[in-house]
Structures are given as C-alpha cells and as structure tokens.
Amino acid sequence: MSRIRALWNASINATKRALTWNLEELMPPQEMCVFSFSSKEDLKRWHLYSDSEYGGLSSASLEVKDAENGLNGIFSGNLSSEVSDGSRWRMNRSGFCGMRSKKFDGFIDLDPYDTLAFKLKGDGRCYISTIYTENWINAPGQLEDNTWQAFVVLPRGNWYIAKIPLASYLPTWRGNIVDARLEMNPSRVVGMSLSVNAEGGVPGTKSGPGDFKLEIDWIKALRSG
C-alpha cells in the first residue's frame, strides 16, 4: 500500500513540476527590449522628420557614436521657428523634429507590459514619446495610425532611465489631446517615435529655437507585476 502511495505522490509531484515549467514558459519576461541603438543596423529601423517637409528650417540627424558605456544613438539637430521664403505650405507651427520607427512587420504586443523605459541622456529639453497603434478609433477612410503621447523629462547631462506607464499615454490627433475616454490597445503597436518642439512641453524645461541633443541607449517594455 505504501508503495502505491509513493508512486501516486511521485506522479502528482511530477505533474506539478511540469505545470510549473509550462507556466514559466508561458509567462512573458519581466522586460523586453523593443529598440537598441548600438549599431548602424539599429538605426536603419528609424527615419527622421521635421518641419522642413512643410517649409520650415529645422533639421535633425540620427547617428551612432562612442559614449562612456559603448556605442549609443544620438538624435540631434537644430530647431528653427522660421519658415523658408516662398513656402507653399501654410504652417500653423514650425520648430519641430522627430525620429519615427519604420513600420513593424506585423505588430509588437505590449499587452503583457505596463511601462515603457528609456535609457537617455538629455539636454534639458522636454521630449515627446509617441506610441502608434493600429487605426480603430478614427473614422473609416482615415488611414493614419492612432497616436498616444507622453512627455519625457530628463535631468540635464546625465544618463537616466525614464519610466512611463502605458496608462499615462494620452490619445492625440495631430498633436492635440483628444477629449474623449479612449483606451490604448497595447497588443497592436505598429510603431514609436521620439520628438522635440521648440515651444511647449513641461514648464521649467529648456525651450525655444536652437540646438538639441538626445543620446539614446535603449527602449524597453517592463512588467511590474
């Protein structure tokens, strides 16, 4: 009888271990690297944009350079509030630059995570983090992705890990907050961007026309639970 009980207990313990292993395999990791900026290949996943596409005079670059902790990406340039002579565009606002990831091959699923983390070295300016999700809010016929934005405020001149809860991202439409109760679908992320404006942002941060420089090591998704 004791032998049967021993075999039974061994079977139960083996089943429990198998279930535990399966759960561990199914459980997403505590963090997931979404983007790194340690090689020129990494930078090929991004493209730049600025008001120069609409007659403005701002400019931006994205490159990899040696830093204290190895190779890092550097997003830099100059913000101008001027508009080129003879521009055919009627701009409401100039003085902006950004770097946007190219379209993913499918989607990135951030549903298991609750926070985006950025390892950055700033210049005192306020930057904007944007998450683009599959279009399901806009009216039919509008092909633009849904955009969700949050400010990134950094201490000047030091490496810093900025953590932004996904719940802090607000829905926006062409830079303006959408006055509606909307929720992001984090399982259908199609891209991300980092941008900077000459004006606006968080009070107390550097603003106005002039040079900007943001060093970037990585962007990760974190799961606190």
Side-chain angles (χ1 to χ4, degrees):
M1 194 71 175
S2 60
R3 185 177 180 183
I4 294 175
R5 185 179 292 117
L7 289 172
W8 176 255
N9 290 335
S11 176
I12 291 176
N13 291 334
T15 302
K16 286 181 178 179
R17 285 196 298 271
L19 288 173
T20 301
W21 293 333
N22 288 337
L23 287 174
E24 289 176 351
E25 290 174 0
L26 292 173
M27 184 71 69
Q30 288 292 121
E31 64 177 48
M32 176 182 70
C33 185
V34 183
F35 293 103
S36 62
F37 296 84
S38 59
S39 71
K40 291 183 179 180
E41 286 299 313
D42 291 333
L43 301 192
K44 290 180 180 179
R45 301 179 65 187
W46 297 82
H47 65 81
L48 296 167
Y49 64 90
S50 71
D51 57 41
S52 62
E53 300 173 32
Y54 309 99
L57 298 177
S58 299
S59 60
S61 67
L62 180 61
E63 54 192 337
V64 171
K65 288 188 175 180
D66 286 320
E68 305 119 26
N69 59 336
L71 294 173
N72 292 305
I74 299 180
F75 171 50
S76 62
N78 182 270
L79 297 169
S80 173
S81 58
E82 303 297 321
V83 178
S84 61
D85 294 335
S87 172
R88 62 187 180 88
W89 298 94
R90 298 182 61 183
M91 297 180 63
N92 295 324
R93 179 181 61 180
S94 62
F96 64 86
C97 293
M99 48 178 282
R100 177 169 176 170
S101 66
K102 297 178 181 178
K103 282 278 190 177
F104 299 141
D105 184 13
F107 305 95
I108 283 187
D109 183 2
L110 296 184
D111 195 45
Y113 304 94
D114 52 49
T115 302
L116 271 189
F118 306 77
K119 186 175 180 182
L120 306 167
K121 185 176 181 181
D123 58 357
R125 290 186 181 272
C126 175
Y127 289 81
I128 300 171
S129 168
T130 304
I131 297 175
Y132 302 94
T133 58
E134 183 184 37
N135 182 336
W136 63 276
I137 294 173
N138 299 334
Q142 294 179 335
L143 302 179
E144 295 183 37
D145 302 320
N146 298 143
T147 59
W148 310 81
Q149 295 184 315
F151 289 126
V152 183
V153 181
L154 309 165
R156 182 175 182 174
N158 294 307
W159 283 102
Y160 182 75
I161 296 179
K163 296 180 180 180
I164 307 176
L166 295 183
S168 297
Y169 283 81
L170 299 177
T172 63
W173 171 249
R174 296 184 178 177
N176 298 309
I177 296 175
V178 176
D179 188 16
R181 292 186 177 181
L182 303 172
E183 292 187 5
M184 181 193 302
N185 181 1
S187 65
R188 310 288 280 187
V189 173
V190 297
M192 296 182 185
S193 73
L194 283 168
S195 58
V196 60
N197 296 330
E199 305 299 338
V202 176
T205 56
K206 181 181 177 181
S207 62
D211 293 339
F212 68 89
K213 180 180 179 181
L214 181 68
E215 297 184 54
I216 315 168
D217 194 355
W218 46 252
I219 300 173
K220 295 181 179 180
L222 307 180
R223 179 169 57 85
S224 59

